[in-house]
Amino acid sequence: CLCRQFTWGFATVFSRAFDIDVPRGASLRRERVMAPLADLFNHGNVSSSYTFAADSAQFQLVTHQVARTGEEVLLNYDSKSNADFLFQYGFVVPDNPSDEIT
């Protein structure tokens, strides 16, 4: 079914893509991009960021977490409610300080 394939593709891109600013002429344009392997990092309450260097076409992930050998390196997916985490990534954060009930 074409509808099922579209749904799978949309969910894959929506849950794994990054928003970056790409130079287009004299301005910047926000685009969603897939960055192979970057989507393998799990979310954690750590200081992290990502950038795209257009001149070298490099996507860079930066975390300020000190990781010892064998420890998982995490990225912060931003401050979101559990509803947003569930909808966008398929998980919730226990005791999420950004969770809200409206």
Side-chain angles (χ1 to χ4, degrees):
C1 168
L2 185 58
C3 181
R4 189 175 303 169
Q5 291 171 330
F6 174 81
T7 302
W8 174 86
F10 182 83
T12 299
V13 171
F14 189 75
S15 65
R16 290 172 171 77
F18 292 81
D19 293 324
I20 62 170
D21 293 322
V22 178
R24 296 285 185 230
S27 63
L28 293 175
R29 182 172 157 186
R30 196 96 167 138
E31 294 185 7
R32 285 186 80 66
V33 298
M34 300 289 283
L37 303 178
D39 66 325
L40 296 177
F41 290 93
N42 286 322
H43 169 75
N45 189 18
V46 297
S47 175
S48 66
S49 61
Y50 61 90
T51 60
F52 176 73
D55 55 340
S56 61
Q58 290 184 337
F59 184 84
Q60 300 170 338
L61 297 169
V62 177
T63 183
H64 303 285
Q65 168 192 2
V66 176
R68 293 173 180 74
T69 302
E71 286 185 334
E72 181 178 18
V73 176
L74 302 169
L75 292 179
N76 191 318
Y77 293 5
D78 206 0
S79 185
K80 300 179 186 306
S81 70
N82 275 338
D84 287 336
F85 276 126
L86 185 60
F87 179 70
Q88 195 165 358
Y89 305 111
F91 68 88
V92 296
V93 176
D95 301 318
N96 183 352
S98 298
D99 209 11
E100 56 191 47
I101 299 174
T102 56

